[in-house]
Amino acid sequence: MTDNPHFETPLPALADVQLIVDDFRDKLASTRKGSPLNTSEKNHSRQLLESELKKLAFYVNTVANGALHIVLSSGFPAKQLRTSMDIPLFPERLRLLDTPQSGQLRFDFNMAKSAWEYEYSYATFVDDNGIPQWGNILTTTSSRNNIIAPLEAGSICRVRVRSRNGKGVSDWSEPVSRMAR
């Protein structure tokens, strides 16, 4: 903001803010020693810095009066407006786990942000080209404890999953596989 014609008299003054920034950097470096006193001083310094930056941001918003190019010239990032929901990403960290019962596997995965439900399918047969022959699409709202059964003991089960919300369906995940016992 220095020498910016839009912000001739920043409140608080930039020199004062720089002193607080420098103090916080010093306190942050001193906390690496692990002292509770140093940590407390760093936290207090951080609170003071956050307070002054909020005041400066208020000043920038007041001067800019809604003009994005003026806000951006200050060096402050412009907060993105909330956008409508996007199609979710596919779930990650798929896991096929053995269960106490023979002929079944448990399927877990990490939830995908903004997903309402999940679709998964499994294959126990591959064609001559090694391509899995996927079965029916099953749905769930849970990313844990999805039971796949009945499976023939010794067969290789492959499972894939995708996410769904009001905007659409994600791509299929890469399949995971496990031998049923």
Side-chain angles (χ1 to χ4, degrees), residues 86-105:
D86 291 329
I87 294 174
L89 299 176
F90 59 82
E92 295 180 338
R93 294 206 56 222
L94 283 63
R95 298 169 298 285
L96 268 177
L97 307 166
D98 209 1
T99 66
Q101 187 171 337
S102 179
Q104 74 178 25
L105 294 171

Side-chain angles (χ1 to χ4, degrees), residues 23-158:
D23 179 65
F24 176 70
R25 282 186 182 145
D26 292 343
K27 300 261 174 32
L28 181 62
S30 70
T31 58
R32 293 191 178 108
K33 298 174 186 171
S35 161
L37 174 63
N38 291 351
T39 301
S40 177
E41 289 173 339
K42 180 224 21 160
N43 290 340
H44 177 71
S45 180
R46 186 193 77 237
Q47 289 170 348
L48 180 60
L49 176 59
E50 288 174 352
S51 174
E52 293 303 294
L53 288 175
K54 285 178 186 176
K55 291 175 190 174
L56 192 58
F58 179 77
Y59 167 77
V60 167
N61 283 329
T62 302
V63 170
N65 195 26
L68 181 60
H69 70 283
I70 295 175
V71 172
L72 294 173
S73 76
S74 74
F76 275 95
K79 182 178 179 183
Q80 289 185 337
L81 299 174
R82 290 187 68 114
T83 59
S84 62
M85 184 182 345
D86 291 329
I87 294 174
L89 299 176
F90 59 82
E92 295 180 338
R93 294 206 56 222
L94 283 63
R95 298 169 298 285
L96 268 177
L97 307 166
D98 209 1
T99 66
Q101 187 171 337
S102 179
Q104 74 178 25
L105 294 171
R106 188 178 101 192
F107 178 50
D108 296 344
F109 50 89
N110 285 4
M111 296 186 331
K113 185 178 177 181
S114 75
W116 295 349
E117 70 178 359
Y118 304 96
E119 297 177 341
Y120 66 98
S121 66
Y122 65 94
T124 56
F125 177 76
V126 294
D127 66 16
D128 294 335
N129 297 320
I131 298 172
Q133 300 302 299
W134 299 106
N136 294 334
I137 295 176
L138 307 166
T139 61
T140 183
T141 57
S142 175
S143 64
R144 303 272 184 265
N145 298 320
N146 295 291
I147 300 298
I148 298 174
L151 298 170
E152 186 176 320
S155 66
I156 303 290
C157 179
R158 293 159 187 82

